[in-house]
Amino acid sequence: MCGIVGYVGHRDALDVVLHGLGRLEYRGYDSAGVAVLTSAGTLAVTRKAGALANLIAELDGTGRAALRGTAGMGHTRWATHGAPTDRNAHPHRDATGRLAVVHNGIIENHAQLRAELEREGVELTSDTDTETAAHLLAAAYASCGDLPLAVRTVCRRLHGAFTLVVTHADEPDLIVAARRSSPLVVGVGSGEHFVASDVAAFIEHTRDAVELGQDQVVTITRDGYRITDFHGAPASGKPFHVDWDLSAAEKGGHDYFMLKEIQEQPSAIANTLRGHFIDGRIVLDEQRMDIQELRDIDKVFVVACGTAYHSGMVAKYAIEHWCRLPVEVELASEFRYRDPVLDRSTLVVAISQSGETMDTLEAVRHAKDQKARVLAICNTNGAQIPRESDAVLYTHAGPEIGVAATKTFLAQIVANFLVGLAVAQARGTKYSDEVAREFAELEAMPAAVTQVLSTVDQVRELGRELADAKVVLFLGRHVGFPVALEGALKLKELAYMHAEGFAAGELKHGPIALLEPGLPVVVIMPSPKGRAVLHAKLLSNIQEIRARGARTIVIAEEGDETVRPYASHLLEVPAVPTLLQPLVSTVPLQVLAAEIARQRGYDVDRPRNLAKSVTVE
Ligand code: M6R
C-alpha cells in the first residue's frame, strides 16, 4: 500500500512523477504529494488529501513553475497512521524544509521515536509515523553531510516494514531509497534513473529494472545507481526486463481497468498454463526443493487472503481429489498466529497476486520457521513472497490495476491446479496420461471463458435491476461455495452492498432466517452431468428459497432445463468439468458487481478504503 516514485534525469521531474503516480494510484488514494529539487536549489513540495486528481488540480491552480527541476519524487497514500488529510499527506519534511521523505509501510517503533524527538524539542506537524523518519534523517545528515550514509544510519533504527525515498536540497542530483519488507524497484534508463514501488511507474521510459533485496539502500543519479546494505557494504539487486508493454497498464478503451481485466481473463489463463507442461510433465517456474521432498509431502496447507484465499478453497477440492492428501485452507492472518502442526513433510502453498501481502508473507515465515516447504503462487515477478519460498509458480495474468482482483483470481485457480497436478505426478497418484488429460481440459478454458464474456450485456442488464438492492446472498456447494464467497466479496468491495456467501447446505442452519420476499439470492448450480447429487441438493435449496418469496438468480450450465422453471433470472455458462466450474461461474459475478457499482456511481477501480497491496498486518 502507498505508491512511491523517485526520478533523477533530464526530463521535467514533476511530469515524470505525476505520470508515475497515476499508474501507482491502485496502491492507495487517500492523498498524493510531490517534492521537486528545483533548479533554484530549493525543495518544493505540494501535497493534497484525496485522489491524485486533487493534487493535479491544486498544481494547476497555483501554477507548476515553482516545481521545475530534473529530480523529484511523489507519493500516493493509503492511510495507516493519521487521517487522510493535507497535513498527513507525504512528502514529509524536516524542520528546515530542505529534506523530504516519502514512505510505504509502517514504522512500528514510531511512538518511541516520536517521544525521543519531542524530548529533544522537535515539533512534529503531522500524525504520521513517517514524519519521525524525516527528522531523524535530517539529524543524521546534519552530522555526516552524506545522504546515503544518513539513510543507512536511520534505517538501522527503524522497526517494521518500509520503503523510503529521500531527497535533500543540498544534494540536488541524487535520490536515495531504502527497503525492508516492502517493494522497491530501480528503473535503469539512459541518462535517467527511477525508483518506484512498481515498474508500472516508469514503464513508459524504460523496461530495464532492478529489484532491490531485503535491507538494501540505493542511490540513483542521472548516470547510474549504487546499491549497498544498511551497513554500507556493496550489494546487488536482481536485474530483470519487463516483458509487458505500456498498453497492459492502460485502459485500452474501457471505462475502467477492471472491465478490461475481466475481458483479459482468457489470455490470463492461457498465459498461466503456457510452458508448464513439457515432455508429459508439469513444471514449475522456480524449484529450490528436490522432487523427493515433493514426494514426501503428507499434508498441505493453503494460506492466502481475500480473493486469493477463495482461489485456495478451490485448490483444496482439486488437491485432495488428485493427490489424496489432507488439505487445510487458512486465512494467512489467522494461520500466522496459531500453532499449526507443520514439519518438513508439510507443503504450504502461499497464494498472493501482489506477492507482498504482509499477512501472507508472515504466514510464509511462520511456516518456514517450522521447516515446512513453501510454494508460492504469485503474479508479481521477484516479489518478497516468491523470494522467500522454496518453489514458485507465477500466474502470468499481467498487471492488474483494478483494486478488485478478477483476472488474477482465475489465473490463481489455474495455477493451483498445476500445483495439484505437479504434486500428484511426484507422488504417483495420477498417471501421466491422466495428468495430460487434466492439462488438456485446462487448455480448453480460455475458450469457455470467452464464451461467458459474450453474455456480459445480459449480466449488466441484471446489474441495473439490482442496483437498489439492500442485501444480496450467494449460495454454492463444493467448488461453487468459494465462488459464492467471491461473488459476495466483489459486491461488498465494489458496490458497498451488504452481501454474504454461504455453503448452500448451511442455509437451513441459520441464514434462511434472512430470506424475505424479493430478496435476491444468487445460486451457483453445479453441472447436472457432474455430481448429480450436488445438483439435486441445490435444486432443493432453490425450492426452499422460492418458498419464502425470495428472488433466485441462478448461474447454471447451458442446457440445464431442470433449473429453468425455478430461476427468476437464469445466467447460463458453458459446460466444463466440475473442478473447473469456478473459472466460468465467477465471471458473471464480477460483471454483476462492477455494473451495480457503476449504477451506484462508484469508482470501480478504486473502491473506498481499499488498496491493491496490503503491506500492513
Ligand atoms: O495480493 P494478494 O493476492 O495477496 O491480495 C490479497 C487480498 O488483499 C486481495 O485478494 C483482496 O481481497 C482484493 N481486494 C480482492 O478483490
Side-chain angles (χ1 to χ4, degrees):
M1 14 214 13
C2 297
I4 55 184
V5 55
Y7 174 76
V8 185
H10 47 79
R11 301 172 204 266
D12 178 54
L14 180 62
D15 201 41
V16 172
V17 167
L18 287 176
H19 269 91
L21 290 182
R23 297 196 194 288
L24 295 182
E25 229 189 341
Y26 70 88
R27 301 181 67 88
Y29 26 85
D30 285 331
S31 66
V34 288
V36 174
L37 292 160
T38 69
S39 21
T42 59
L43 182 67
V45 172
T46 303
R47 49 195 197 150
K48 200 76 198 145
L52 179 64
N54 292 4
L55 174 71
I56 291 173
E58 173 86 2
L59 289 166
D60 289 344
T62 53
R64 299 183 178 202
L67 286 98
R68 290 283 167 239
T70 54
M73 64 185 191
H75 184 269
T76 177
R77 179 173 186 236
W78 186 84
T80 59
H81 293 63
T85 55
D86 287 355
R87 73 194 281 271
N88 290 329
H90 299 215
H92 289 282
R93 281 164 288 186
D94 71 325
T96 67
R98 292 187 67 74
L99 177 142
V101 60
V102 293
H103 165 221
N104 170 29
I106 291 182
I107 298 170
E108 286 174 357
N109 55 336
H110 71 97
Q112 179 197 331
L113 297 171
R114 176 177 280 262
E116 180 186 312
L117 287 162
E118 282 170 349
R119 275 196 303 277
E120 287 165 7
V122 175
E123 195 184 327
L124 286 104
T125 58
S126 77
D127 312 310
T128 64
D129 49 343
T130 309
E131 193 190 347
T132 59
H135 296 291
L136 292 174
L137 286 160
Y141 182 74
S143 64
C144 69
D146 177 333
L147 196 58
L149 174 58
V151 171
R152 295 197 297 268
T153 307
V154 171
C155 283
R156 294 200 298 271
R157 294 204 58 201
L158 305 182
H159 300 169
F162 51 84
T163 304
L164 300 172
V165 181
V166 187
T167 54
H168 198 295
D170 293 350
E171 307 269 7
D173 299 320
L174 62 86
I175 281 185
V176 186
R179 80 167 285 243
R180 167 178 288 165
S181 297
S182 269
L184 180 63
V185 283
V186 177
V188 182
S190 168
E192 57 185 353
H193 286 82
F194 308 78
V195 283
S197 311
D198 178 341
V199 293
F202 52 70
I203 181 76
E204 61 197 285
H205 305 297
T206 178
R207 296 208 204 160
D208 291 318
V210 178
E211 173 87 30
L212 246 66
Q214 180 74 330
D215 284 9
Q216 291 187 342
V217 173
V218 64
T219 303
I220 60 165
T221 62
R222 216 181 245 247
D223 302 320
Y225 67 93
R226 181 168 174 265
I227 302 175
T228 68
D229 66 14
F230 281 181
H231 296 276
S236 56
K238 187 175 161 198
F240 64 100
H241 186 76
V242 183
D243 56 9
W244 47 269
D245 64 21
L246 190 57
S247 64
E250 289 180 334
K251 289 183 194 151
H254 294 270
D255 292 347
Y256 290 100
F257 281 109
M258 182 185 161
L259 304 180
K260 172 177 170 247
E261 288 156 3
I262 288 173
Q263 295 292 332
E264 287 172 344
Q265 296 188 107
S267 56
I269 295 173
N271 292 341
T272 299
L273 290 172
R274 186 163 300 125
H276 289 297
F277 189 61
I278 300 173
D279 297 334
R281 296 193 71 75
I282 301 288
V283 289
L284 304 177
D285 283 310
E286 292 169 21
Q287 199 164 319
R288 297 177 276 269
M289 58 197 278
D290 64 36
I291 194 76
Q292 189 58 42
E293 290 175 289
L294 267 186
R295 244 173 236 149
D296 292 344
I297 287 161
D298 60 15
K299 184 170 41 175
V300 178
F301 276 91
V302 181
V303 294
C305 307
T307 290
Y309 170 73
H310 298 154
S311 86
M313 289 177 72
V314 179
K316 176 181 169 78
Y317 295 92
I319 299 175
E320 285 178 347
H321 183 60
W322 291 335
C323 309
R324 307 308 301 137
L325 281 171
V327 181
E328 290 190 39
V329 190
E330 282 246 25
L331 291 167
S333 53
E334 290 295 317
F335 175 89
R336 187 233 179 297
Y337 291 105
R338 284 202 306 107
D339 282 327
V341 182
L342 312 172
D343 57 29
R344 281 177 195 286
S345 47
T346 309
L347 178 70
V348 172
V349 179
I351 309 170
S352 174
Q353 182 284 130
S354 59
E356 56 176 289
T357 298
M358 190 53 73
D359 289 319
T360 311
L361 178 59
E362 289 298 338
V364 165
R365 290 173 176 164
H366 193 46
K368 294 211 76 175
D369 284 348
Q370 292 167 75
K371 311 282 182 260
R373 299 287 166 230
V374 178
L375 188 157
I377 291 176
C378 181
N379 196 47
T380 313
N381 211 308
Q384 196 66 24
I385 290 171
R387 286 165 80 105
E388 296 194 19
S389 300
D390 301 301
V392 186
L393 183 61
Y394 285 107
T395 49
H396 295 282
E400 189 175 65
I401 312 286
V403 165
T406 53
K407 62 178 177 173
T408 55
F409 178 61
L410 267 55
Q412 283 165 351
I413 292 174
V414 166
N416 290 332
F417 289 157
L418 291 178
V419 168
L421 291 175
V423 175
Q425 173 183 272
R427 286 170 50 78
T429 52
K430 272 217 169 278
Y431 292 115
S432 49
D433 60 328
E434 292 174 305
V435 173
R437 208 175 313 126
E438 301 287 357
F439 190 84
E441 281 174 348
L442 284 167
E443 281 187 309
M445 293 313 293
V449 174
T450 302
Q451 188 181 329
V452 185
L453 289 169
S454 68
T455 65
V456 294
D457 287 346
Q458 191 197 343
V459 183
R460 291 182 62 186
E461 192 184 312
L462 174 65
R464 290 192 279 279
E465 281 177 35
L466 294 183
D468 294 328
K470 297 277 177 291
V471 177
V472 179
L473 303 183
F474 293 75
L475 295 184
R477 281 179 186 256
H478 193 258
V479 289
F481 172 38
V483 173
L485 295 179
E486 177 62 8
L489 177 63
K490 289 281 98 67
L491 203 50
K492 279 183 254 202
E493 64 182 341
L494 293 171
Y496 319 149
M497 191 185 270
H498 186 198
E500 291 299 335
F502 299 105
E506 282 293 292
L507 183 68
K508 56 190 177 294
H509 296 293
I512 199 162
L514 294 168
L515 298 184
E516 58 185 23
L519 183 105
V521 183
V522 178
V523 182
I524 324 299
M525 280 302 285
S527 163
K529 300 189 272 303
R531 303 190 55 186
V533 64
L534 284 179
H535 186 267
K537 297 285 176 222
L538 263 159
L539 264 186
S540 304
N541 295 136
I542 290 180
Q543 302 292 1
E544 291 154 12
I545 297 163
R546 287 176 61 85
R548 274 106 192 145
R551 182 172 173 192
T552 50
I553 294 150
V554 181
I555 301 192
E557 185 175 298
E558 60 189 355
D560 180 357
E561 294 304 324
T562 52
V563 77
R564 190 178 292 277
Y566 311 116
S568 318
H569 202 112
L570 183 65
L571 298 172
E572 291 186 305
V573 292
V576 300
T578 299
L579 283 171
L580 306 190
Q581 279 170 1
L583 295 171
V584 290
S585 51
T586 305
V587 177
L589 304 185
Q590 298 167 337
V591 176
L592 185 68
E595 184 58 31
I596 295 176
R598 274 155 61 116
Q599 292 298 321
R600 294 180 154 214
Y602 300 140
D603 183 334
V604 173
D605 284 338
R606 297 182 304 178
R608 69 184 178 202
N609 304 335
L610 293 177
K612 187 77 182 160
S613 302
V614 185
T615 54
V616 295
E617 276 191 74

